Amino acid sequence: MSGVRTLKVCLLASASAFAAVLAAPALAQDGAQPDDGSAPDDRTGVERIVITAQKRGEENVQDVPLAVSVYSEELLQNSGVRDFQDLQVVAPGLNVTSTSNQFSTTPRIRGVGTVGDNPGLETSVGIVIDGVPRARAGAGFNDLGEIERIEVLRGPQGTLFGKNTSAGLINVVTKRPEYDFGVDLEGSYLFGDYEGYALSGSVTGPLVEDKAAFRLYAGTRDRDGFLTVATGAGPASTRSTTEDNDQDFYTVRGQLLLDPTSSVSINLSADYTDRDENCCLGTPLVRGAAGPIANAVGATVPFPGSEAPFNRMAFANRDTTQQIEDWGVQGQLDWDFENFTMTGILSHRDYEFSSAQDSDFTDADIFFRPLGGNDFYFENTTAELRFAGQKGNLDWLVGGFYSDEKLTRTDALTNGLAYEAYVGSLLSAALGTPNPGFVNLVANGLGAAVIPGYGTMANPLFPAPLMTGGGLPFGAQGAGDTYKQDGTSYSLFTHNTLSLTENLDLTVGLRWTHEEKDAVADFARPDSPACRVWETVFTEALDFSTPTAQAVLGGLATSFMLPDTAANRALVAQVGSVTCLNANRRIFDTIGFDQSREEDEVTGVGSLSYRFSPDVMGYVSYSRGYKAGGFNLDRFNQAGASAVDFTAILAGDAVYPAQFEPEIVDSIEGGLKTEWFDNQLLANLTLFYSDFETYQLNTFNGLSFFVTTVDGATARGAELEFVYLPSAIDGLSMLGGVTFAETQYDSFAPTGTADVDVLSGKQFSLAPEWYLTGAVSYTKPISNTLEALFYLDGRWVSEQNTGSDLDPPKLQEGYTLVNGRIGIGTIDERWALELFGRNLFDEDYIQVGFDAPLQTGSFNAFLGQPATYGVTVRSKF
């Protein structure tokens, strides 16, 4: 650990010294003269920052009337950004979280976004890599390779990028082949508590002079797990590793650039990524009354009052292997005609995810998903064709987009060896009977049973038992379901800018989207003897409301030595509900699931921008965003008054409510883009207001994820960003931003865990009101051939509730993350040696809090990354 302490001291000392430099009076001098009497520095300040967000080739970010931030290769390299989660440290208003697996990675912009555990749910923040949208945000969560720049567009982007950009867009542009030969090599080593390494290399160069070039890239990473795992004991402990949240993957990418003529350019690319890791366990945040019961059947989880989530100790007796294969091919054609440019992009991607899960998040064997029992498979083909040109004072663009998506999900939530004893103990505690085998009573003794301590009791309603025989009433039963969804989308779009005067521009865009989705589920029909008894007595719908059912419940209450009251009848009904959890119910196979939906939506944008001077541009805009509706690809049910009416479905009077409605938002934005001090300072201000007609809320009810639709929500706030390159200090650059975002639900939608209004007027989950980011970089020559690098960035966010149902234990207080890097290398970038640290102060924070499955009153948390330290060696030639 001495090396880690030394590195931290070096990084912080460098930062302190750098702060002293920043305090120098020279910073306040505009165009200061050198002391030696030589000519003034001819540096022009911030270089032109280009974006391609409007699909018109490269444009100056200060000329584009929308809220967009651009992050260069140099900044991303210094900050250590390798994926979207790393990006949030420098991007104000961006929040990225991961939950039960890496697929469930969700970006949010301005507080808007939806947890992605349900694969039927599409993202609110679009992910586009080299012009190709990813089917889900998690499908883009891989090493991004050689990045030229990342553009973060805030607010609805439905006109040019289509559905699933209701909150914004992350547009990644990677490096293309070059006609100059070059090789880049990089190696990093992590030391301290979490050791690991990363290696990457690329080569580019000509194949035919000025006609064909190539680029090849390969990278690999391996890192210890951020969590230590208590695996339990006995035959149910099948887990072979005592770490979790580790990293082990490799990726390769190849590109071929063809320029057959001066007006035609074709870029072909293929990539492949393979991951084999252990992910993702949570740590105990709060233990409720169910905690000691879990411990009584084999768990070693801390008892209530002794929780220590940031000790990074997780509990699992089952495997959490995560295997991902992600590959794709694409081609882009750019053809310049006399008066316009044609661009065509064709792509095909396959994403295969397979994982195992210890679903109770304890080292007791309650229930789990085996490897292969929690799989996603996406196959997505896209095509885009667009034409852009200029005629007089009109810049015009028209195009079309097509997407065909095939999704398969398998789910095999399986009862473990301790499931019967655990549920029996829960029910015993609820009924006040000291019988940990109470479920055996329910399964085998609706007619008659022996209760330890009470003797033989008979239920006169059932003179003979409905089921006899030994064995486990639950066995190794559970769901073994397969869901398939096919989706097709067509779009036509146009985006046009008319120069009304020399300084006044009008931009109008429209997009029509047609969406078709078909979903079918093949539900397993589990043969859980315990549940089968209840389904026999109360029908597969478990309808406890009929007079006959109430009489039976009263008789059961009496046989359990309870008074025959309405409260005790409800308590006995709860016994049946817990005995027949979704994974054990046969009714899902009975009702089936074969549904379709179609949507037609028109989205658009209108903006008016005015250049007050060469250094100041202002704009106002309106945009409409759209996020597609879809299907809950799970055994969907809710609690209380919102429970699915299976009786009506069986009677043909209702349809299984698997669908959720689209997300629609109207947004108004106003902004100022300014340049100061001979272009040394760029400062942009944005005000925004977004009104959601409907908002998709994904939630976890302790057993499954499902999406409901909130009828109305708003997001409003302001953003300020700056980039500063003072001419008085060569090599110094600073950027930063602050975002205030108030995001609130208008009206309540049931979360499945409560029937009380807990959401109306409340801030969205995972949506801090305040975000503050900053980065400072300083490079200084120390000889004719060498230069030193000092870099520091940081992020502070205010408090946020990390749970969809806003339970108080899931509240995360405001916190600060700081990263640093110091290094030395040649001015011509031939080599560089750098020390770095991420989360330098080892800040503890939770990403997402969630209900511990089947453990009422207990909560777990997915943690943020701890402090890591390392060294990087880089070479270019």
Side-chain angles (χ1 to χ4, degrees):
M1 292 295 295
S2 60
V4 172
R5 286 195 295 269
T6 300
L7 174 58
K8 182 183 289 189
V9 169
C10 290
L11 289 168
L12 294 178
S14 300
S16 300
F18 186 52
V21 172
L22 294 182
L27 280 176
Q29 300 175 13
D30 184 15
Q33 300 291 321
D35 292 337
D36 61 3
S38 62
D41 190 345
D42 62 357
R43 180 177 168 185
T44 58
V46 181
E47 295 181 2
R48 180 175 180 263
I49 301 175
V50 299
I51 63 170
T52 54
Q54 296 196 122
K55 299 188 176 183
R56 301 177 183 277
E58 295 184 345
E59 298 177 285
N60 187 349
V61 68
Q62 294 299 99
D63 295 332
V64 177
L66 57 86
V68 55
S69 302
V70 185
Y71 304 99
S72 67
E73 175 191 6
E74 180 181 5
L75 173 71
L76 298 172
Q77 178 177 283
N78 288 339
S79 185
V81 173
R82 304 302 304 178
D83 55 44
F84 300 126
Q85 202 154 28
D86 297 333
L87 182 64
Q88 63 185 329
V89 176
V90 294
L94 177 66
N95 201 19
V96 185
T97 58
S98 293
T99 54
S100 57
N101 51 64
Q102 294 288 13
F103 175 81
S104 302
T105 298
T106 305
R108 295 168 180 79
I109 291 178
R110 295 174 173 170
V112 178
T114 308
V115 176
D117 300 81
N118 187 326
L121 176 68
E122 301 180 55
T123 180
S124 298
V125 177
I127 304 295
V128 176
I129 302 177
D130 289 335
V132 175
R134 294 299 191 256
R136 300 292 187 274
F141 188 77
N142 277 321
D143 188 287
L144 296 174
E146 297 181 287
I147 307 171
E148 180 176 305
R149 67 180 180 276
I150 296 179
E151 305 166 1
V152 179
L153 288 67
R154 301 182 295 275
Q157 305 297 326
T159 304
L160 288 172
F161 293 95
K163 62 169 186 167
N164 309 331
T165 57
S166 53
L169 179 85
I170 300 175
N171 186 38
V172 180
V173 180
T174 66
K175 287 186 174 181
R176 280 199 165 192
E178 300 174 9
Y179 283 106
D180 293 327
F181 181 81
V183 175
D184 286 5
L185 299 174
E186 182 177 309
S188 296
Y189 174 71
L190 292 176
F191 51 82
D193 292 338
Y194 312 102
E195 294 187 355
Y197 65 86
L199 300 172
S200 64
S202 71
V203 58
T204 187
L207 292 174
V208 179
E209 185 176 359
D210 296 332
K211 296 295 183 183
F214 75 98
R215 180 179 287 274
L216 297 175
Y217 169 83
T220 183
R221 283 185 172 192
D222 190 286
R223 191 205 64 229
D224 293 342
F226 288 147
L227 298 179
T228 301
V229 183
T231 61
S237 181
T238 61
R239 186 182 180 91
S240 60
T241 178
T242 57
E243 292 187 356
D244 198 68
N245 288 24
D246 58 9
Q247 195 171 68
D248 183 6
F249 74 87
Y250 69 88
T251 182
V252 293
R253 176 182 174 87
Q255 295 184 77
L256 176 63
L257 175 64
L258 302 174
D259 292 318
T261 71
S262 60
S263 60
V264 176
S265 180
I266 302 170
N267 194 69
L268 307 175
S269 66
D271 63 89
Y272 176 84
T273 298
D274 182 273
R275 305 182 78 115
D276 190 352
E277 300 161 334
N278 297 281
C279 187
C280 299
L281 288 172
T283 60
L285 186 64
V286 175
R287 301 303 292 165
I293 297 176
N295 286 12
V297 298
T300 61
V301 181
F303 279 82
S306 60
E307 305 89 347
F310 297 109
N311 284 353
R312 298 190 174 273
M313 174 66 74
F315 300 84
N317 65 296
R318 294 282 182 172
D319 190 19
T320 53
T321 297
Q322 173 185 274
Q323 298 172 341
I324 297 174
E325 279 191 278
D326 179 24
W327 67 270
V329 294
Q330 70 181 73
Q332 177 169 335
L333 166 67
D334 294 290
W335 194 336
D336 292 328
F337 292 85
E338 183 176 351
N339 298 315
F340 64 90
T341 298
M342 180 183 76
T343 299
I345 303 175
L346 183 65
S347 76
H348 177 85
R349 299 205 62 85
D350 273 31
Y351 181 89
E352 187 171 354
F353 171 92
S354 182
S355 72
Q357 183 186 60
D358 192 308
S359 305
D360 54 77
F361 293 87
T362 75
D363 47 344
D365 196 39
I366 300 174
F367 48 89
F368 64 97
R369 288 179 169 94
L371 185 62
N374 186 31
D375 293 2
F376 307 136
Y377 176 71
F378 286 94
E379 182 180 344
N380 189 216
T381 300
T382 66
E384 179 172 340
L385 181 65
R386 62 179 186 264
F387 301 87
Q390 183 175 15
K391 186 174 181 60
N393 58 350
L394 175 68
D395 286 334
W396 58 269
L397 182 148
V398 295
F401 178 80
Y402 166 81
S403 173
D404 179 77
E405 175 187 291
K406 299 185 185 303
L407 160 64
T408 300
R409 181 202 178 203
T410 61
D411 185 27
L413 185 61
T414 305
N415 302 328
L417 297 179
Y419 181 85
E420 175 188 1
Y422 175 72
V423 176
S425 299
L426 280 181
L427 301 180
S428 296
L431 289 169
T433 60
N435 179 14
F438 180 72
V439 173
N440 262 322
L441 167 67
V442 176
N444 295 297
L446 284 175
V450 175
I451 307 178
Y454 289 92
T456 302
M457 301 177 58
N459 185 339
L461 294 174
F462 301 98
L466 292 177
M467 190 200 88
T468 59
L472 292 171
F474 292 98
Q477 297 295 326
D481 306 330
T482 300
Y483 305 84
K484 293 186 177 181
Q485 176 180 295
D486 292 340
T488 304
S489 179
Y490 308 86
S491 298
L492 297 174
F493 58 90
T494 182
H495 191 269
N496 310 283
T497 298
L498 178 65
S499 295
L500 300 176
T501 70
E502 183 180 357
N503 296 319
L504 181 65
D505 291 340
L506 172 67
T507 298
V508 176
L510 286 173
R511 187 181 191 108
W512 166 77
T513 301
H514 177 75
E515 180 92 1
E516 298 177 5
K517 288 182 180 175
D518 302 297
V520 62
D522 181 11
F523 290 112
R525 191 169 179 81
D527 186 17
S528 170
C531 183
R532 179 154 34 93
V533 172
W534 285 88
E535 290 178 322
T536 301
V537 176
F538 296 100
T539 75
E540 288 191 6
L542 292 185
D543 188 351
F544 299 116
S545 64
T546 65
T548 301
Q550 284 293 305
V552 173
L553 292 174
L556 288 173
T558 302
S559 71
F560 300 153
M561 301 186 68
L562 297 171
D564 183 6
T565 64
N568 285 333
R569 289 184 180 189
L571 188 59
V572 175
Q574 182 182 352
V575 172
S577 298
V578 174
T579 304
C580 290
L581 296 172
N582 284 352
N584 295 317
R585 297 190 66 177
R586 298 178 296 171
I587 192 169
F588 288 94
D589 178 63
T590 301
I591 63 176
F593 178 167
D594 187 354
Q595 299 188 24
S596 300
R597 61 179 294 120
E598 290 190 16
E599 297 172 4
D600 286 280
E601 191 65 35
V602 176
T603 54
V605 64
S607 70
L608 198 63
S609 61
Y610 185 77
R611 183 157 291 282
F612 297 94
S613 72
D615 297 328
V616 180
M617 188 269 281
Y619 71 92
V620 292
S621 67
Y622 161 82
S623 58
R624 184 174 178 86
Y626 159 64
K627 177 181 174 184
F631 303 94
N632 282 296
L633 303 180
D634 208 332
R635 291 189 171 219
F636 171 65
N637 199 357
Q638 295 193 71
S642 302
V644 174
D645 189 348
F646 287 109
T647 300
I649 295 171
L650 289 172
D653 298 329
V655 177
Y656 177 55
Q659 302 188 30
F660 52 88
E661 295 307 306
E663 183 173 286
I664 305 293
V665 58
D666 295 292
S667 184
I668 298 173
E669 189 172 289
L672 277 176
K673 298 194 172 187
T674 65
E675 303 172 24
W676 302 80
F677 312 126
D678 293 331
N679 202 35
Q680 296 177 57
L681 172 68
L682 306 185
N684 298 336
L685 173 68
T686 306
L687 305 177
F688 62 89
Y689 177 84
S690 298
D691 180 32
F692 290 83
E693 294 179 17
T694 51
Y695 180 75
Q696 294 171 358
L697 177 67
N698 193 38
T699 191
F700 180 60
N701 65 4
L703 290 172
S704 59
F705 293 93
F706 59 91
V707 182
T708 56
T709 302
V710 177
D711 292 327
T714 57
R716 53 180 163 246
E719 300 160 332
L720 176 65
E721 289 186 282
F722 73 90
V723 179
Y724 186 34
L725 273 70
S727 60
I729 303 179
D730 194 21
L732 174 65
S733 64
M734 294 181 286
L735 64 84
V738 58
T739 297
F740 172 75
E742 185 181 74
T743 55
Q744 295 182 343
Y745 303 104
D746 290 350
S747 58
F748 169 69
T751 64
T753 56
D755 288 317
V756 296
D757 187 345
V758 296
L759 298 184
S760 294
K762 301 294 180 61
Q763 184 84 356
F764 285 8
S765 61
L766 293 162
E769 285 192 343
W770 289 95
Y771 308 74
L772 180 64
T773 62
V776 187
S777 178
Y778 181 56
T779 57
K780 181 175 180 59
I782 55 178
S783 73
N784 291 334
T785 59
L786 298 177
E787 67 180 5
L789 166 69
F790 303 90
Y791 175 84
L792 203 66
D793 66 40
R795 175 179 190 254
W796 173 82
V797 295
S798 60
E799 72 172 25
Q800 57 185 307
N801 195 300
T802 64
S804 298
D805 48 14
L806 303 183
D807 283 334
K810 301 170 185 176
L811 183 69
Q812 168 62 54
E813 299 294 337
Y815 62 91
T816 301
L817 299 178
V818 178
N819 305 321
R821 183 178 297 263
I822 58 176
I824 186 172
T826 59
I827 295 175
D828 62 4
E829 299 184 322
R830 181 61 58 92
W831 63 266
L833 175 66
E834 300 169 354
L835 294 173
F836 66 87
R838 296 187 62 80
N839 190 4
L840 281 173
F841 298 100
D842 201 17
E843 184 81 7
D844 290 330
Y845 64 101
I846 64 174
Q847 293 189 82
V848 176
F850 63 99
D851 295 52
L854 204 58
Q855 299 164 66
T856 302
S858 295
F859 303 92
N860 294 340
F862 297 112
L863 303 182
Q865 294 187 4
T868 55
Y869 308 93
V871 57
T872 293
V873 178
R874 190 177 295 113
S875 178
K876 295 185 179 183
F877 55 89

